[in-house]
């Protein structure tokens, strides 16, 4: 399809696409729309789906067929024009189309906001603070204790249940005197205070010995995600069948042999210390990376469109909702964190804007440095990803090439390379020196802020006597 598109730059990061669609393509899409309508419309005297296209055209008229055609074809043509023009729209377009001509090419225009271009300042050779890797105090002990907990065993006890004990229970629930299906279990093992039981269960079962039954009620809100419980008050009957306590093992060589890949606890400790050191180094690298990017952002100028901020906030909210535990609605999350949706949006907006600003500046650096990613580099990354995830390379390559994702991956790799160039060009300095520079103060600034009258113009640093 020899579609042509002409781009006109407008104000406020908007462009107008003037698109011309060849006559043959318009006819093909009109015929497809006519066949679709012939399968769907019902006309007396014809079986469903068997109406001749000519009859459909006569009954409905050409305008109705053209309208059906535009419903699917206009978006496709617009996307093709965007791809051909190399644009990066950030919102939906506004179409301008008079009519579908009976002969000749079809013309329409689409006005759409696009990603703005950042104006770069200095970004090479920036001095950026770099911290020294430091393993948090007590981190080794925390990791060793976690190992003990994973290797713990449960032992029955002849005493009432206490916090952190495990209980084996039978329970059932009823509402309005009728037993609820699916609300109950036999030989259910749970830990008091372990996070899986409702607070009411933890409260009622604490102090109960094996062999006793307790009854209590739990009221569920109208917004509960579980339909069988929503808005109900459920009367529970719970029988404690066994109380078990967690017995922690000794961290000796026998433990290492049984619960780890090592033969001695000295080897276990050495491995943990190595991984903690690597994590500390990675944390320092990530902080340096972020500070280098932010230093380049501080020197750049870019107007961030509100629509990009709004969409980034929406993406964060969607990700948060998807990560909630099963059965917890977003409304329940807001209530538990004492927030409103409007308040949360406003709280997220500054971080979302900064994230977009970083992206735009890195894109500008990629343009300035002429960063390009070849098909071979994309394929190399796909092969690496496939190997890391255990997927078939050829299948993953086919999916990305034919079902979307190839160009997205190329763009991601391009941004990654631009960040690498920025980091390579940055000059690490001690974090204390960087923090001191943040506190640099001039008498001019002091005069503006406090009304001081005299000034030498010399930079003042912490430690100066005046």
């Amino acid at each position: 399809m020899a579609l042509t598109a002409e781009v006109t730059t407008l104000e406020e990061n908007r462009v107008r696409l003037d698109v011309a669609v060849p006559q043959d393509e318009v006819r093909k899409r009109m015929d497809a729309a006519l066949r679709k309508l012939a399968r769907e419309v019902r006309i007396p005297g014809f079986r469903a789906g068997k109406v001749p296209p000519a009859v459909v055209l006569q009954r409905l008229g050409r305008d109705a067929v053209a309208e059906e055609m535009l419903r699917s074809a206009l978006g496709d043509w617009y996307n093709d024009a965007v791809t051909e023009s190399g644009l990066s729209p950030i919102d939906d377009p506004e179409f301008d189309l008079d009519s579908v001509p009976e002969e000749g090419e079809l013309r329409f225009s689409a006005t759409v906001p696009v990603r703005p271009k950042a104006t770069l300042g200095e970004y090479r050779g920036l001095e950026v603070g770099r911290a020294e890797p430091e393993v948090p105090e007590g981190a080794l002990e925390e990791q060793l204790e976690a190992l003990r907990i994973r290797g713990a065993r449960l032992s029955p006890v002849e005493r009432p249940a206490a916090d952190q004990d495990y209980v084996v229970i039978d329970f059932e629930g009823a509402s309005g005197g009728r037993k609820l299906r699916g609300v109950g279990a036999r030989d259910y093992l749970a830990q008091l205070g372990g996070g899986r039981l409702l607070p009411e269960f933890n409260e009622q079962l604490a102090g109960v010995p094996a062999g006793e039954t307790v009854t209590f009620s739990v009221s569920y809100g109208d917004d509960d995600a579980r339909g069988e419980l929503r808005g109900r008050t459920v009367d529970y009957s719970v029988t404690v069948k066994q109380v078990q306590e967690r017995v922690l093992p000794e961290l000796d060589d026998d433990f290492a042999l049984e619960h780890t890949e090592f033969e001695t606890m000295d080897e276990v400790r050495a491995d943990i210390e190595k991984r903690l050191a690597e994590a500390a180094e990675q944390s320092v690298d990530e902080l340096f990376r972020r500070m280098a990017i932010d230093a380049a952002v501080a020197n750049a100028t870019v107007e961030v469109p509100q629509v990009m901020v709004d969409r980034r906030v929406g993406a964060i909210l969607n990700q948060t909702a998807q990560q909630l535990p099963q059965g917890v609605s977003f409304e329940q999350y807001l209530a538990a964190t004492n927030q409103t949706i409007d308040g949360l949006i406003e709280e997220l907006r500054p971080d979302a804007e900064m994230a977009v600003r970083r992206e735009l500046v890195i894109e500008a650096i990629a343009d300035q440095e002429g960063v390009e990613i070849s098909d071979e580099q994309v394929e190399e990354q796909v092969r690496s990803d496939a190997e890391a995830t255990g997927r078939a390379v050829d299948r993953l390559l086919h999916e990305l090439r034919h079902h979307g994702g190839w160009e997205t991956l190329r763009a991601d790799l391009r941004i990654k390379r631009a960040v690498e160039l920025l980091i390579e060009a940055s000059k690490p300095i001690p974090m204390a020196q960087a923090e001191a520079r943040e506190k640099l103060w001039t008498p001019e600034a002091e005069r503006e802020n406090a009304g001081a009258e005299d000034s030498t113009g010399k930079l003042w640093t912490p430690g100066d006597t005046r």
Side-chain angles (χ1 to χ4, degrees):
M1 177 180 62
L3 177 150
T4 60
E6 181 179 340
V7 180
T8 302
T9 302
L10 307 176
E11 295 179 346
E12 300 178 342
N13 294 310
R14 295 181 306 134
V15 300
R16 188 183 69 242
L17 267 174
D18 293 303
V19 184
V21 183
Q23 176 176 283
D24 289 346
E25 168 68 11
V26 177
R27 286 178 176 171
K28 183 178 72 175
R29 299 301 289 257
M30 283 285 286
D31 290 342
L34 189 56
R35 290 193 299 271
K36 180 177 182 295
L37 289 172
R39 292 192 300 268
E40 296 175 351
V41 299
R42 293 183 177 276
I43 296 179
F46 296 93
R47 286 188 299 165
K50 300 296 183 179
V51 183
V55 175
V56 174
L57 181 61
Q58 182 182 19
R59 288 294 187 94
L60 300 183
R62 186 178 183 278
D63 289 346
V65 179
E67 183 177 345
E68 175 63 31
M69 180 269 294
L70 290 175
R71 261 194 284 268
S72 62
L74 189 59
D76 292 342
W77 294 335
Y78 166 74
N79 290 332
D80 290 343
V82 165
T83 300
E84 180 178 308
S85 304
L87 298 176
S88 299
I90 59 175
D91 204 356
D92 296 330
E94 294 180 4
F95 290 111
D96 185 8
L97 171 65
D98 291 334
S99 62
V100 177
E102 295 191 15
E103 297 291 336
E105 61 186 13
L106 179 148
R107 292 181 173 272
F108 70 91
S109 66
T111 301
V112 63
V114 294
R115 295 175 74 87
K117 300 288 186 181
T119 301
L120 295 173
E122 288 295 327
Y123 66 91
R124 280 188 163 273
L126 298 178
E127 293 185 336
V128 179
R130 182 178 178 85
E132 291 297 323
E134 184 176 347
V135 176
E137 185 177 352
L140 174 60
E141 289 72 21
E142 289 180 5
Q143 292 290 319
L144 290 172
E145 186 63 17
L147 269 181
R148 289 186 75 203
I149 292 174
R150 288 199 294 272
R153 61 182 177 85
L154 297 180
S155 177
V157 292
E158 298 297 328
R159 60 167 172 78
D163 186 50
Q164 300 305 309
D165 279 344
Y166 285 79
V167 290
V168 178
I169 59 175
D170 291 345
F171 71 97
E172 59 184 23
S175 181
R178 299 181 61 181
K179 183 178 177 180
L180 296 176
R181 293 182 60 185
V183 181
R186 298 293 179 189
D187 295 324
Y188 184 79
L189 177 67
Q191 183 185 24
L192 298 187
R196 292 180 61 188
L197 289 173
L198 290 172
E200 292 86 352
F201 274 68
N202 287 314
E203 180 182 344
Q204 295 294 330
L205 295 179
V208 178
E212 287 195 8
T213 298
V214 294
T215 58
F216 54 93
S217 299
V218 177
S219 296
Y220 296 88
D222 293 332
D223 60 348
D224 196 282
R226 294 158 295 186
E228 71 276 13
L229 300 177
R230 187 180 303 130
R232 290 178 179 269
T233 295
V234 179
D235 301 316
Y236 284 101
S237 175
V238 185
T239 299
V240 178
K241 301 178 71 174
Q242 191 177 65
V243 179
Q244 302 175 351
E245 67 178 2
R246 186 170 55 190
V247 180
L248 298 177
E250 292 296 326
L251 292 179
D252 51 23
D253 290 348
D254 289 338
F255 176 89
L257 280 169
E258 183 178 354
H259 296 284
T260 75
E261 59 187 292
F262 302 100
E263 296 183 357
T264 68
M265 279 307 300
D266 287 341
E267 292 175 325
V268 173
R269 287 187 176 89
D271 180 68
I272 293 175
E273 289 173 342
K274 176 185 176 183
R275 288 187 283 109
L276 288 172
E278 290 172 349
E281 186 72 35
Q282 290 172 0
S283 178
V284 166
D285 289 344
E286 177 57 29
L287 178 60
F288 180 76
R289 172 182 176 277
R290 188 168 67 249
M291 291 180 66
I293 293 173
D294 286 351
V297 170
N299 290 340
T301 303
V302 57
E303 293 294 328
V304 179
Q306 192 61 44
V307 64
M308 294 186 73
V309 177
D310 291 341
R311 292 196 170 191
R312 179 56 59 90
V313 169
I316 296 172
L317 292 176
N318 287 334
Q319 184 179 23
T320 301
Q322 292 171 3
Q323 293 175 342
L324 292 176
Q326 187 175 4
V328 178
S329 68
F330 196 76
E331 290 74 16
Q332 290 173 317
Y333 164 76
L334 291 174
T337 55
N338 197 28
Q339 298 182 98
T340 65
I341 185 64
D342 291 338
L344 182 56
I345 288 174
E346 289 307 310
E347 181 182 330
L348 292 173
R349 197 174 295 281
D351 287 343
E353 180 176 344
M354 187 59 180
V356 174
R357 193 177 299 275
R358 290 185 183 114
E359 285 183 6
L360 295 174
V361 170
I362 295 301
E363 286 175 3
I365 291 175
D367 292 340
Q368 181 70 24
E369 296 290 332
V371 177
E372 297 293 340
I373 302 298
S374 66
D375 285 345
E376 291 75 18
Q377 289 172 301
V378 177
E379 181 171 333
E380 181 182 352
Q381 183 63 49
V382 174
R383 292 183 179 278
S384 175
D385 292 344
E387 182 179 351
T389 58
R391 300 187 61 183
V393 174
D394 292 341
R395 184 184 183 91
L396 187 55
L397 285 170
H398 182 272
E399 288 178 2
L400 288 173
R401 283 174 171 149
H402 297 89
H403 301 289
W406 185 265
E407 292 305 320
T408 299
L409 179 56
R410 190 198 304 275
D412 289 344
L413 293 175
R414 183 171 184 265
I415 293 301
K416 180 181 178 181
R417 181 54 187 152
V419 171
E420 290 172 351
L421 290 173
L422 175 62
I423 302 305
E424 291 166 3
S426 299
K427 297 179 181 178
I429 61 174
M431 187 63 78
Q433 182 181 350
E435 291 173 349
R437 287 183 177 180
E438 290 294 322
K439 299 177 182 178
L440 287 179
W441 173 88
T442 63
E444 288 86 354
E446 174 67 11
R447 186 178 67 247
E448 293 175 3
N449 294 330
E453 293 183 358
D454 63 333
S455 167
T456 64
K458 182 182 176 181
L459 288 176
W460 178 90
T461 60
D464 283 0
T465 56
R466 61 181 172 81

